């Protein structure tokens, strides 16, 4: 930051709280108290409040990192500044004229292909300010020691909600997925997410057979506890939402159910350098995504479902996009199975030994054993340094070991 310059940050209160946990933001001044989302986007009332509160400022530079958010354009069009920067899709919009009208007010615009990943877009912004050698990578979240010392069996985490109604998978599919995962793997399943996930959890709970291995952590953890819960999972499952990116940053393999409303702007990741402590998500798409006429509907039309009348009407009713709805629980199970096969083959290649074929999950557990032991000691779930504690908590560890050999 230039000496004598103040840097202001406009984002949602939720994001600001997470930024404060992940990094030192003492050099930033937060001005996003009125930045809110409603169920179907940013509503007019809160946009007006945000713009009214910002008019008291005059900025030298305005840098927009999320240019597919209409409120960003309204900000650029309504407050005083000298220069404004943004990265935009190089397309001709077929709908949503008013949403894109204010793009013309940006003084520094960079045009990119639809499928350029968000990391690379942000890198282009950074390079505009002289950082020509900047390399993108997944940010690693350092482990946090929790106050509670809780014994846990090895488990899978599933995020069952999303802030956006168009990105919420059907609860019927969640129920089938949970039931089949419990049948196929020796792991417990933890439901995570906000208050909206509680409804989905209870729906699933009533329809599965093995109820004793299905637990609800939705809206019961702090942000740090949520990070550590996902860090300790054998793998994580969710839609395109925050939990997927958390899993990547804590080194847990995530399986992301994702549509193509933004093309492939958000997933899969495209990074310049690798951090072995992190883990890129595996995407679960419907098979025909490249043939969809409504591909990248939000990019071209400004709203979910534009280009597909049925999907558009479905989204306007507050339901999920068809490209997400038509992903089935079998698609997710097959993707997990294939990933375990790949992990098994990689382990064999690196170790030079013949891995057991008795069950797929055994090799996957072996692959994650070192990380599991590290996490249980670091996070305070199981203290393996004390002989007394090893004996006390040996059941969960023994259960884990029995699936290795």
């Amino acid at each position: 930051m230039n000496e004598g310059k103040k840097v202001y940050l406009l984002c949602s209160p939720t994001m600001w709280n997470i930024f404060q946990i992940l990094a030192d933001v003492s050099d930033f001044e937060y001005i996003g108290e009125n930045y809110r989302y409603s169920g179907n986007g940013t509503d007019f009332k809160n946009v007006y409040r945000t713009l009214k509160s910002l008019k008291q400022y005059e900025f030298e530079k305005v840098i927009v990192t999320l240019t597919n958010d209409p409120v960003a354009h309204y900000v650029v069009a309504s407050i005083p500044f000298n220069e404004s920067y943004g990265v935009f899709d190089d397309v001709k919009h077929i709908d949503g004229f008013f949403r894109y009208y204010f793009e013309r007010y940006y003084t520094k615009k960079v045009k990119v292909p639809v499928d350029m990943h968000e990391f690379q877009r942000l890198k282009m912004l950074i390079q505009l300010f002289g950082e020509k050698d900047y390399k993108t990578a997944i940010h690693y979240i350092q482990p946090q020691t929790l106050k509670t010392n809780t014994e846990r069996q090895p488990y899978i985490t599933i995020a069952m909600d999303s802030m956006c109604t168009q990105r919420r998978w059907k609860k019927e599919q969640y129920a089938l997925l949970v039931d089949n995962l419990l049948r196929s793997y020796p792991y417990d399943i933890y439901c995570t997410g906000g208050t909206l996930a509680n409804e989905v959890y209870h729906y699933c709970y009533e329809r599965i057979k093995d109820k004793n291995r299905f637990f609800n952590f939705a809206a019961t953890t702090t942000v740090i506890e949520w990070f550590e819960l996902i860090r300790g999972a054998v793998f994580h499952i969710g839609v395109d939402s925050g939990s997927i990116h958390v899993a990547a940053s804590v080194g847990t393999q995530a399986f992301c159910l994702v549509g193509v409303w933004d093309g492939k702007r958000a997933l899969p990741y495209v990074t310049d350098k690798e951090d072995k402590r992190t883990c890129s998500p595996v995407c679960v798409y419907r098979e025909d995504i490249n043939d969809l006429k409504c591909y990248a509907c939000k990019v071209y039309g400004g709203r979910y479902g534009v280009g597909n009348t049925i999907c558009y009407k479905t989204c306007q009713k507050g339901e999920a996009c068809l490209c997400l709805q038509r992903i089935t629980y079998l698609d997710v199970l097959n993707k997990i199975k294939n990933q375990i096969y790949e992990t098994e083959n990689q382990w064999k290649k690196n170790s030079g030994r013949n891995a057991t074929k008795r069950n797929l999950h055994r090799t996957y557990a072996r692959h994650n054993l070192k990380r599991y032991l590290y996490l249980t000691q670091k996070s305070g779930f199981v203290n393996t340094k004390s002989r007394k504690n090893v004996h006390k908590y040996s059941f969960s560890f023994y259960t884990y070991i029995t699936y290795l050999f």
Side-chain angles (χ1 to χ4, degrees), residues 171-268:
K171 57 186 179 182
E172 294 84 359
Q173 292 294 323
Y174 275 119
L176 290 167
L177 177 63
V178 169
D179 192 49
N180 279 271
L181 286 171
L182 291 171
R183 293 169 182 266
S184 303
Y185 299 96
Y187 311 128
D188 294 343
I189 294 180
Y190 294 173
C191 167
T192 72
T195 54
L196 293 172
N198 284 313
E199 179 185 348
V200 183
Y201 168 81
H202 291 297
Y203 178 90
C204 296
Y205 186 83
E206 294 299 323
R207 287 160 178 78
I208 63 173
K209 293 184 178 180
D210 198 351
K211 301 181 188 297
N212 293 329
R213 294 168 53 209
F214 186 42
F215 303 93
N216 187 16
F217 285 83
T220 64
T221 61
T222 65
V223 173
I224 292 177
E225 289 171 342
W226 180 50
F227 289 169
E228 296 308 310
L229 192 70
I230 294 176
R231 189 194 303 275
V234 177
F235 56 82
H236 176 75
I237 302 169
V239 297
D240 177 15
S241 193
S243 70
I244 295 297
H245 307 297
V246 169
S249 292
V250 298
T252 296
Q253 181 63 72
F255 296 89
C256 181
L257 288 65
V258 61
V260 288
W261 38 79
D262 286 324
K264 294 183 179 179
R265 174 176 181 161
L267 293 160

Side-chain angles (χ1 to χ4, degrees), residues 267-279:
L267 293 160
Y269 287 172
V270 179
T271 58
D272 298 324
K273 60 182 181 180
E274 181 183 1
D275 186 335
K276 292 184 178 180
R277 300 171 298 176
T278 63
C279 185

Side-chain angles (χ1 to χ4, degrees), residues 26-43:
S26 58
D27 287 338
F28 295 85
E29 295 196 27
Y30 178 59
I31 53 172
E33 292 85 354
N34 296 323
Y35 190 87
R36 297 287 192 274
Y37 285 96
S38 63
N40 214 16
T42 308
D43 61 51

Side-chain angles (χ1 to χ4, degrees), residues 39-95:
N40 214 16
T42 308
D43 61 51
F44 176 79
K45 180 180 178 181
N46 283 316
V47 168
Y48 177 78
R49 289 169 60 194
T50 299
L51 298 182
K52 185 177 179 180
S53 67
L54 289 176
K55 283 187 176 181
Q56 62 181 298
Y57 302 98
E58 183 174 352
F59 296 104
E60 182 178 317
K61 292 181 173 64
V62 174
I63 304 168
V64 177
T65 60
L66 192 62
T67 52
N68 62 348
D69 184 358
V71 72
H73 305 328
Y74 306 152
V75 168
V76 170
S78 61
I79 63 175
F81 62 86
N82 293 331
E83 295 178 331
S84 55
Y85 299 79
V87 180
F88 299 87
D89 295 293
D90 190 10
V91 300
K92 182 178 180 180
H93 302 295
I94 61 174
D95 200 354

